[in-house]
Amino acid sequence: MIIDVLQMKEIYFSCLKPYTEDIVLLESCWNEVIVSYSDQRRAYHTLVHLQHFSNQLDLCKDKLSDYSTAYLAMIYHDIVYFMMDGSNEEKSALVAVNHLNRLQYPSDLISVCSEMILATKTHSGNSSSDINYFIDADMSILGADSGSYAQYAAGIRKEYGDSIYFDQGRKQVLQSFLNMERIFKTDLFFDRYEKQARLNIQQEIVSLG
């Protein structure tokens, strides 16, 4: 996959320029994003993941009532990672709120952005159509071709460490996806990815023994 960091930056800036003229602050916030997703400990939750997520948001752009807020939530959703207490999403949402407040993004939209990020913790269905499209875009890797899925699974393993404890925890997470009535909450993503996602997940569970 080609990573177009410049394009992502341009979209990020275009979402925020209507609210701030502080280009130095914008650059600083963006640089913090780049540094976080470039952490050498990351193997899946990297700029490649952001690019994939961005591509998936493009698929549903005309379905979103607020693409800009969804895009900003995408940028920040994994900015904090490797929290031992499992608070990645909460900490990421706090960074988003901090940055967006400083950049004078509307407070009601900051709340929506935070809610989107927090929704990636469980990927449960939501009353908000935008949030459902957002979490489906985040989950779309599950329905990728078998080769891309294998790379994703290997990346997750590398981030968490190769151990029996990882295998047990990973199987629980994967099984929770299979137990969902629908992994993908929107018809767009369900039709595109549901069948392949269930095949990929089942095959990974079998491989974990």
Side-chain angles (χ1 to χ4, degrees):
M1 178 187 297
I2 297 173
I3 309 174
D4 194 340
V5 176
L6 180 58
Q7 182 186 50
M8 285 194 284
K9 178 181 179 180
E10 287 174 351
I11 298 173
Y12 175 81
F13 272 49
S14 70
C15 292
L16 292 163
K17 276 186 175 179
Y19 306 101
T20 181
E21 296 179 354
D22 193 339
I23 302 302
V24 173
L25 179 57
L26 266 172
E27 289 281 358
S28 175
C29 290
W30 176 252
N31 287 339
E32 191 173 329
V33 169
I34 294 299
V35 168
S36 293
Y37 285 95
S38 301
D39 187 323
Q40 292 302 303
R41 294 173 297 170
R42 296 187 182 223
Y44 169 69
H45 295 90
T46 63
L47 291 171
V48 174
H49 171 52
L50 276 195
Q51 182 68 66
H52 176 80
F53 200 154
S54 178
N55 293 346
Q56 299 303 307
L57 283 182
D58 283 346
L59 290 179
C60 61
K61 188 173 183 178
D62 63 337
K63 308 284 188 183
L64 296 168
S65 64
D66 185 354
Y67 171 77
S68 292
T69 298
Y71 196 88
L72 292 171
M74 180 273 293
I75 290 294
Y76 285 105
H77 81 289
D78 282 326
I79 193 168
V80 176
Y81 208 66
F82 301 113
M83 297 301 298
M84 298 302 293
D85 60 358
S87 62
N88 297 340
E89 294 83 2
E90 290 85 356
K91 294 293 197 305
S92 293
L94 287 175
V95 173
V97 169
N98 175 268
H99 279 201
L100 297 179
N101 270 322
R102 290 163 62 201
L103 293 164
Q104 301 179 58
Y105 202 61
S107 58
D108 57 328
L109 300 183
I110 293 176
S111 296
V112 173
C113 180
S114 176
E115 187 179 356
M116 284 182 162
I117 294 170
L118 294 174
T120 64
K121 194 173 186 74
T122 62
H123 294 96
S124 301
N126 196 281
S127 59
S128 164
S129 174
D130 276 15
I131 289 179
N132 285 333
Y133 279 111
F134 183 80
I135 59 177
D136 278 1
D138 186 32
M139 295 272 276
S140 60
I141 188 63
L142 297 178
D145 63 86
S146 58
S148 297
Y149 183 89
Q151 289 181 329
Y152 147 74
I156 295 294
R157 177 178 291 277
K158 186 175 180 180
E159 287 179 346
Y160 282 91
D162 191 2
S163 72
I164 188 172
Y165 301 108
F166 170 83
D167 289 353
Q168 292 172 348
R170 180 66 176 165
K171 281 194 284 188
Q172 289 178 353
V173 170
L174 293 172
Q175 190 61 53
S176 73
F177 291 149
L178 290 183
N179 291 343
M180 291 178 174
E181 183 178 350
R182 288 171 57 131
I183 296 172
F184 297 98
K185 316 309 177 190
T186 65
D187 290 343
L188 174 67
F189 284 93
F190 180 89
D191 293 344
R192 184 179 286 260
Y193 294 123
E194 185 84 11
K195 183 178 180 180
Q196 185 63 41
R198 289 187 177 275
L199 287 173
N200 288 336
I201 292 168
Q202 189 60 57
Q203 287 173 0
E204 186 181 354
I205 289 174
V206 170
S207 74
L208 292 169

